Amino acid sequence: MTSHPDQLQLGPENAQQRLVLLHGWGADADDLLDLGELLVNPGTSVVALRAPEPHPYGSGRQWYDLQPIDWDALPSARSGLQARLLALAESVPLERTVLLGFSQGAAMALDVGTALPLAGIAACSGYPHQGWQAPSACPPVLLTHGRQDPVVPFMASEELLQQLQASGQSAQLLAFDGGHGIDESLFPELKRFITERIAPSQGLPQ
């Protein structure tokens, strides 16, 4: 594993495809790293980005404050993430990169990622930012959400799905019986989505 102040990286330095991970509110870059390893084939780079701000109530980080929601901080968070993704594209093209976010990270992935030529976006337990609208063209999107989520209501992903499909985008929602998390039952579908997006010549994962 390669560690930098603002990110963690697994996999070969000369990878031709990449999975980028965006953690949720109050977590840190290492939160999704083990999951990322399970969702990619050998030879894929996994990069977990660290949110720019310290969490206000203890350890962990945040993309912007949520209690209360600081929408004024969103433009800076958005431009900062976009710049980091474009910097990563210097080594692996965005067209060979899938962006996966959880909770606040999922909201950031959708906000920023739908405006970039990514191979795909996986948004787990996410929600739409204030004023967000599905663009007329964007990467394929896979949404996952627990029906009993007490933190981000399931209807948030239903709203996202409706917006994306209404604008003609390729989008799918995987629901599961559970709360605020990424259920193990989703792993095969997540891996299939990622593999098909970034490594179509390799076929489906075994």
Side-chain angles (χ1 to χ4, degrees):
M1 181 175 68
T2 304
S3 177
H4 301 282
D6 61 349
Q7 69 183 47
L8 301 174
Q9 183 167 343
L10 298 172
E13 293 290 334
N14 61 344
Q16 300 300 306
Q17 57 273 337
R18 176 176 283 148
L19 173 64
V20 177
L21 305 169
L22 306 181
H23 64 78
W25 193 62
D28 212 325
D30 60 350
D31 186 56
L32 298 175
L33 207 55
D34 289 344
L35 170 64
E37 273 195 290
L38 296 174
L39 299 181
V40 299
N41 292 330
T44 300
S45 167
V46 179
V47 176
L49 299 183
R50 190 177 195 222
E53 298 181 8
H55 191 265
Y57 305 122
S59 61
R61 311 288 294 182
Q62 63 180 11
W63 300 95
Y64 53 86
D65 203 354
L66 280 179
Q67 292 185 357
I69 298 178
D70 184 7
W71 292 123
D72 290 340
L74 183 56
S76 175
R78 181 187 292 127
S79 61
L81 177 57
Q82 183 181 58
R84 294 168 75 179
L85 292 173
L86 291 174
L88 287 172
E90 294 177 8
S91 55
V92 177
L94 292 177
E95 292 82 1
R96 301 282 285 174
T97 299
V98 168
L99 187 60
L100 182 151
F102 173 71
S103 194
Q104 189 183 48
M108 291 296 299
L110 287 165
D111 190 319
V112 177
T114 50
L116 295 173
L118 291 161
I121 300 168
C124 305
S125 304
Y127 55 90
H129 281 151
Q130 184 182 62
W132 181 83
Q133 291 184 330
S136 58
C138 74
V141 176
L142 178 63
L143 306 166
T144 75
H145 215 123
R147 294 187 181 90
Q148 291 81 39
D149 192 332
V151 179
V152 178
F154 178 70
M155 67 180 63
S157 280
E158 290 184 308
E159 179 184 339
L160 287 166
L161 181 66
Q162 291 171 1
Q163 283 203 42
L164 288 160
Q165 290 182 337
S167 65
Q169 304 311 311
S170 172
Q172 178 185 5
L173 172 56
L174 299 179
F176 64 95
D177 291 322
H180 194 59
I182 305 176
D183 193 81
E184 288 187 14
S185 65
L186 305 174
F187 292 1
E189 285 298 323
L190 281 167
K191 182 171 184 177
R192 184 174 294 110
F193 174 80
I194 293 166
T195 302
E196 288 178 345
R197 300 271 68 81
I198 61 177
S201 63
Q202 296 179 17
L204 295 178
Q206 301 298 313

